[in-house]
Amino acid sequence: MKNNQASLTPLKNKKILFIGGSSYSGSTMLDMMLSNSDSGFSVGEVHALFRPFRPHHFNPRCGCGDPNCSLWVHVRQQGEDRLYQTIFDRFEQLDYIVDSSKDPFWINKQSQRLRNQGIEVHHLLIWKTPVDFCASMLKRNRTGCIKAWVNYHTLYLSLITDFMPVSYVDLVTYPSATLSSINHCIGVNHSPDMENYWTKTHHTLFGNDSAKVHLHKDSSDLTIEDNQHSSVIDGQGKQTADNAHRSIYYKQEQNLVDSQTVNEIQGNPDIQAILAAVSGHNLEITQPDFHAPYPRHTLMILALISRIKFLAGKIFGRYVRLF
């Protein structure tokens, strides 16, 4: 036990930043922006390295693009409990690591473990409005957007009580100012042009391919699953795509959401309670007065369902995408 505690001592001068957010919320982009400095490191959605549930999780491809990069093989061999320690040992110049795994159960577990060791932890929640989130879902031919938005944020707010809310719209509209405010609040040095995360070679693991496409020299260098970008990856309209694929902008697409869905969003009390908890704060760490958290027995059931899903993924996920 003494040896293990001694090996963890260097982490007491380090920080771990956890990013929460629903799917298509911009968490991968925020992750790489915040880690775009000599002292930062992006691990992406690293929880899937230890809890794989989709085919590409079992043979991870490092975000650096080098097929011979053995970083994540080494990290997995060292184990989940030494995840962040292994990264800091490998890259001694680092002051902080950004983890955008998003899974509230993972964030809660890792945060408790690290804080018990006296290590500084920060939580950031990047959020989209329900209408913007529904538009993102509809672009990908996915349904159930309202339920998905409410379920994720209710679970997050039930488990994570201290966090900094980051508006997706603010991030993409005023990236430099937003990042500067975040860094000031969490005590990280702000670097000029930090939002241009493609200027650094990241080892980011998993995460949203639509964000990671910016890491490549041109838009045809990466095959991504998102069929919304098929014209980029198959070479059609390549000149336009190459000129724009490293731009950060906010494209309003609320017109994709029908009036019935908008009315349902506006009349949903759970949505209004969540919005009150995550909006209206000027990028400060907050403990919102959230009136609709999941009760303890519901959290236990959801935790059990999560374990069952990842067990099924570990057994069958190598061969087929289950969820």
Side-chain angles (χ1 to χ4, degrees), residues 61-118:
R61 182 176 62 174
C62 184
C64 72
D66 180 358
N68 297 315
C69 180
S70 60
L71 172 63
W72 296 114
V73 173
H74 175 65
V75 170
R76 184 155 54 188
Q77 289 173 343
Q78 295 300 305
E80 180 181 319
D81 289 345
R82 288 185 55 85
L83 162 59
Y84 310 105
Q85 177 72 46
T86 302
I87 298 294
F88 282 123
D89 287 346
R90 183 77 171 260
F91 304 95
E92 296 181 357
Q93 80 279 10
L94 299 179
D95 293 327
Y96 63 97
I97 289 172
V98 187
D99 181 342
S100 57
S101 293
K102 296 189 297 189
D103 179 2
F105 287 115
W106 168 271
I107 295 172
N108 188 47
K109 176 184 177 182
Q110 299 301 326
S111 296
Q112 289 182 2
R113 179 174 62 82
L114 290 167
R115 282 174 168 167
N116 288 339
Q117 296 167 1

Side-chain angles (χ1 to χ4, degrees), residues 193-211:
D193 299 321
M194 209 170 188
E195 65 271 21
N196 299 331
Y197 58 85
W198 48 83
T199 61
K200 177 180 177 178
T201 299
H202 295 270
H203 292 271
T204 305
L205 195 63
F206 311 128
N208 188 294
D209 284 334
S210 297

Side-chain angles (χ1 to χ4, degrees), residues 155-294:
L155 178 59
Y156 184 92
L157 292 168
S158 298
L159 292 173
I160 312 301
T161 58
D162 57 327
F163 66 91
M164 179 187 301
V166 180
S167 163
Y168 171 82
V169 174
D170 287 348
L171 179 65
V172 297
T173 306
Y174 313 105
S176 182
T178 302
L179 292 170
S180 179
S181 297
I182 292 172
N183 290 332
H184 175 75
C185 189
I186 63 180
V188 168
N189 290 330
H190 182 68
S191 302
D193 299 321
M194 209 170 188
E195 65 271 21
N196 299 331
Y197 58 85
W198 48 83
T199 61
K200 177 180 177 178
T201 299
H202 295 270
H203 292 271
T204 305
L205 195 63
F206 311 128
N208 188 294
D209 284 334
S210 297
K212 292 199 292 182
V213 72
H214 296 296
L215 299 177
H216 294 249
K217 293 180 181 179
D218 64 58
S219 57
S220 63
D221 287 345
L222 181 65
T223 299
I224 61 178
E225 296 179 1
D226 185 350
N227 59 19
Q228 182 67 19
H229 294 81
S230 60
S231 62
V232 170
I233 63 175
D234 67 11
Q236 297 177 22
K238 180 174 181 297
Q239 169 119 26
T240 301
D242 287 350
N243 291 338
H245 89 285
R246 284 182 170 175
S247 299
I248 297 173
Y249 59 91
Y250 173 49
K251 183 178 181 181
Q252 293 186 332
E253 298 177 307
Q254 292 94 333
N255 61 309
L256 296 176
V257 183
D258 60 53
S259 59
Q260 180 178 347
T261 301
V262 172
N263 290 335
E264 184 177 349
I265 289 171
Q266 293 174 344
N268 189 311
D270 292 332
I271 288 179
Q272 301 311 312
I274 292 168
L275 286 174
V278 302
S279 62
H281 302 284
N282 296 318
L283 280 176
E284 58 185 17
I285 297 174
T286 183
Q287 293 180 313
D289 184 16
F290 182 55
H291 296 287
Y294 286 132

